[in-house]
Amino acid sequence: MASITGSFTSLSCSLMPNQAVNRVSKLGSVSLSISGKSFPSLRVQPARFHASCAAKPETVDKVCKIVRKQLALPDESKVAGHSNFASLGADSLDTVEIVMGLEEEFSISVEEESAQNIATVQDAADLIEKLIENKGA
Amino acid sequence: MKLQCLGKQLFNSSANLPRIQLSSPMEAHLWYIIPSEVQSQSLLNQYAEILSPCEKEIVFEMRDEELRKRALLARALVRTTIARYQINSHVSPRSLKFIKNVHGKPEVDWQHCEQWRPLPLHFNISHTSSLIACGVTVDSPIGIDVEKKNRRLKHNVMSFAQRYFSKHEVQVLSAISDPQLQLQEFIKLWTLKEAYVKALGRGFSDAPFKTFTIRIRSATKGSFAGNSNFEASEIVVDSFDDSMDLTSDWKFVLMDLAGSHYAAICTKKDSSIQGIQITPTKLTVWKTIPFVHDECVSGTAAVVIISG
C-alpha cells in the first residue's frame, strides 16, 4: 500500500509490489523526508504516529508469531523487528489480516488509517504498546 | 542498446519488445505474467539487467527465492511494459526512471527526456504469488488489483467485512447464504476497493475502505450474486465524503483472469464526455513473458469480464 512521503523532487526509486519504498540517490541538495520501510538505517517514523521508545521484546515476539501464522512461513524463515511485511510476501489483504490477528491477541482496536501504515513488525509492536498504554491511561 | 521495432521472436534478444499503440483515454491495457512459467535462469538474469541499481539491491536482499523472483518479475514487467509504448528509441526498459507522486504513488519520471514529448502514460501494478499484472492507460490515472479466486482468509468473511467494509457492502455480503459464494464476492469487492484506492493515488489513509461503497448494478433487475446476466452491469462507487473524490468520475472493470484470479481495474472517465451515458473502457489484455512471448488474450477464456 502507499506510504506517506514528504515533498521531494527526483529520486530513483525502487518499488515493492503494492508497497512503496523510498531510497535516496544524491541529487544535489534536496531536502527529503523518507519513509524507508525496508531499510532500518534510513527509517524515519512517519509524522502520524511517533513511538518514543521501541516496544518490548515480548511484544515483538508475539507479533512475529502472528505474522508467521498469517503468511504460513516455514519455521526456519527469519522474522524479526525490522522485517518488512511486503518483503515477507504479505499483500494488502495479508496486512489487514495480520492487524486483525494483533487486535485479537492484544485486545486492542487499531484505526484503519494506522493499520495501513504498518509496514514492519516493529511498526506493529510499537503501535500495539502505544494503544495498550492509551487504554490503561 | 537501441530497440528495434517489431522485433522477431528471438530468445535472449533484449531488443524484442514489439511496439504497442495506446492513444485514447477510453482504453486500458493489462499485461500479466505467470511467475511459474519463467524458469530460465538466463532469462531472469536478463530481467535483472534492466533494473536500476536501487531496484537490484532491494530484490537481491530478499532471502526467499520465490519472493525474490516475484519482485524481480514485477520490476521487469513494469519496465518492459512501459517501454513498449515509447516511439522514441532512446527509451529502453533500463533507461526508465521512476518517481513517487506527493502521496507516494509510483509514476514514470519523464523529466529526463529532453527532445520529445513522451506519451502521458500511467501505470499501476499488482501481484499475487501466481500472477503479476501491470495496467497502463494514457491520460488517466489507473489502479489495479488482482487476487487469487481461491484465496482463503484466516478470519471469518463477515467479521472481516464488518471491520473494514461499508455498511451497504456488509449488507450485500450477508445476504449471500453460500459461504463459498460469499467469499468469492468478498474477494471481488476487495479487488475493486483496492483498485479504486490505488487509482486515487493519495494513499490508503486518505480513503479508508469504510468510507466508500462499491456497488455492482445490473441493468436488469435481479440479485447481485448469482445473476449471471451482467451484460449491461455497471460498477459504481459512492463516497461518504464526496466532496473530495467526485466519485462519479471513476469507472471500473472486474474480470476473471486466467481462470485463477479476479482482477479489477479502475480508471478515470474522460471528462470531455458529458452526460449520463457511460462509455465502457476498451480493455485489451496480454499474457507475456517479456523478451520471449506476448499473447493477446482478450476475447479468449483467459479473460472473462464479470462487470464493467
Side-chain angles (χ1 to χ4, degrees):
Chain A
M1 293 304 288
S3 65
I4 299 167
T5 58
S7 60
F8 55 89
T9 56
S10 256
L11 296 175
S12 78
C13 296
S14 307
L15 302 159
M16 301 295 287
N18 289 359
Q19 279 268 357
V21 174
N22 295 347
R23 293 277 240 106
V24 182
S25 50
K26 297 272 180 212
L27 294 166
S29 56
V30 178
S31 74
L32 303 159
S33 82
I34 313 158
S35 70
K37 291 193 163 137
S38 74
F39 255 63
S41 55
L42 293 176
R43 261 181 85 219
V44 170
Q45 289 284 2
R48 200 177 283 270
F49 67 96
H50 275 296
S52 47
C53 46
K56 295 196 281 289
E58 306 93 75
T59 311
V60 174
D61 284 343
K62 276 188 186 169
V63 175
C64 288
K65 207 169 118 208
I66 288 166
V67 169
R68 277 183 191 285
K69 195 166 146 219
Q70 174 64 33
L71 304 179
L73 298 175
D75 291 328
E76 326 76 73
S77 70
K78 189 153 182 260
V79 182
H82 62 265
S83 299
N84 175 289
F85 291 166
S87 304
L88 296 170
D91 62 14
S92 47
L93 197 48
D94 286 313
T95 305
V96 172
E97 287 222 271
I98 287 170
V99 170
M100 284 177 83
L102 297 175
E103 287 181 326
E104 285 155 13
E105 173 74 24
F106 293 97
S107 306
I108 48 171
S109 179
V110 179
E111 270 168 34
E112 216 179 328
E113 295 83 2
S114 309
Q116 287 297 331
N117 287 340
I118 295 173
T120 65
V121 169
Q122 193 68 50
D123 288 344
D126 292 345
L127 179 61
I128 289 161
E129 294 217 337
K130 181 161 168 266
L131 290 171
I132 292 174
E133 195 184 301
N134 290 345
K135 229 174 74 166
Chain B
M1 184 186 275
K2 269 203 152 154
L3 283 178
Q4 296 158 13
C5 301
L6 304 170
K8 296 168 281 236
Q9 298 280 331
L10 295 169
F11 194 87
N12 281 342
S13 163
S14 64
N16 183 30
L17 280 178
R19 288 281 179 272
I20 307 283
Q21 264 210 304
L22 181 58
S23 42
S24 156
M26 308 298 293
E27 269 192 273
H29 290 180
L30 188 71
W31 297 79
Y32 72 91
I33 186 170
I34 310 277
S36 59
E37 292 181 0
V38 181
Q39 295 294 341
S40 151
Q41 188 55 50
S42 71
L43 186 57
L44 291 171
N45 293 342
Q46 257 194 281
Y47 294 153
E49 285 295 302
I50 65 173
L51 265 50
S52 71
C54 211
E55 290 168 336
K56 261 187 265 203
E57 217 177 308
I58 292 219
V59 163
F60 289 106
E61 75 164 4
M62 294 175 105
R63 284 188 198 90
D64 182 88
E65 200 182 313
E66 270 309 306
L67 292 181
R68 199 163 53 228
K69 181 177 164 184
R70 218 191 294 171
L72 173 60
L73 291 177
R75 293 316 305 151
L77 180 65
V78 172
R79 285 180 172 272
T80 53
T81 300
I82 293 168
R84 293 172 194 275
Y85 296 89
Q86 306 314 315
I87 326 155
N88 189 303
S89 58
H90 290 305
V91 181
S92 68
R94 193 197 276 152
S95 72
L96 291 166
K97 295 217 188 311
F98 295 89
I99 192 175
K100 303 252 174 69
N101 76 1
V102 75
H103 303 286
K105 183 179 183 188
E107 289 168 354
V108 186
D109 177 12
W110 298 111
Q111 274 183 38
H112 66 290
C113 313
E114 299 113 12
Q115 281 118 3
W116 83 105
R117 286 187 60 158
L119 210 58
L121 214 61
H122 295 258
F123 76 93
N124 195 234
I125 56 167
S126 177
H127 76 349
T128 66
S129 54
S130 45
L131 189 148
I132 304 169
C134 179
V136 286
T137 46
V138 67
D139 253 341
S140 158
I142 178 172
I144 74 166
D145 191 56
V146 293
E147 294 291 346
K148 274 197 265 218
K149 276 163 68 174
N150 64 1
R151 190 193 178 120
R152 293 263 164 273
L153 292 183
K154 292 284 187 299
H155 293 86
N156 172 267
V157 169
M158 286 318 300
S159 51
F160 196 118
Q162 263 146 17
R163 183 76 179 71
Y164 286 101
F165 283 13
S166 73
K167 279 204 180 72
H168 175 87
E169 290 163 343
V170 170
Q171 267 168 21
V172 166
L173 285 173
S174 58
I176 305 169
S177 47
D178 181 290
Q180 192 53 34
L181 214 56
Q182 192 188 63
L183 177 60
Q184 283 197 343
E185 296 308 318
F186 169 89
I187 295 172
K188 287 177 194 170
L189 266 180
W190 176 273
T191 59
L192 286 163
K193 289 171 88 76
E194 271 286 293
Y196 174 62
V197 171
K198 290 172 80 182
L200 284 177
R202 292 206 311 257
F204 185 88
S205 47
D206 264 13
F209 272 21
K210 252 199 199 305
T211 64
F212 63 93
T213 289
I214 297 225
R215 296 165 213 269
I216 302 181
R217 290 203 299 236
S218 51
T220 58
K221 258 189 147 197
S223 62
F224 160 88
N227 180 0
S228 50
N229 182 12
F230 271 124
E231 261 184 37
S233 72
E234 178 206 330
I235 302 170
V236 291
V237 58
D238 298 318
S239 169
F240 303 135
D241 181 19
D242 208 334
S243 54
M244 287 298 284
D245 292 329
L246 291 171
T247 51
S248 55
D249 281 358
W250 300 94
K251 53 182 180 168
F252 298 81
V253 178
L254 177 68
M255 74 197 94
D256 181 322
L257 190 61
S260 53
H261 287 74
Y262 290 127
I265 301 180
C266 178
T267 53
K268 211 158 191 199
K269 287 179 196 162
D270 191 346
S271 50
S272 62
I273 293 177
Q274 304 297 325
I276 319 158
Q277 188 69 20
I278 293 129
T279 326
T281 310
K282 177 168 181 277
L283 176 69
T284 319
V285 185
W286 283 268
K287 181 170 170 234
T288 178
I289 300 177
F291 302 146
V292 177
H293 183 69
D294 303 325
E295 189 190 336
C296 181
V297 292
S298 301
T300 71
V303 180
V304 179
I305 304 291
I306 301 172
S307 198

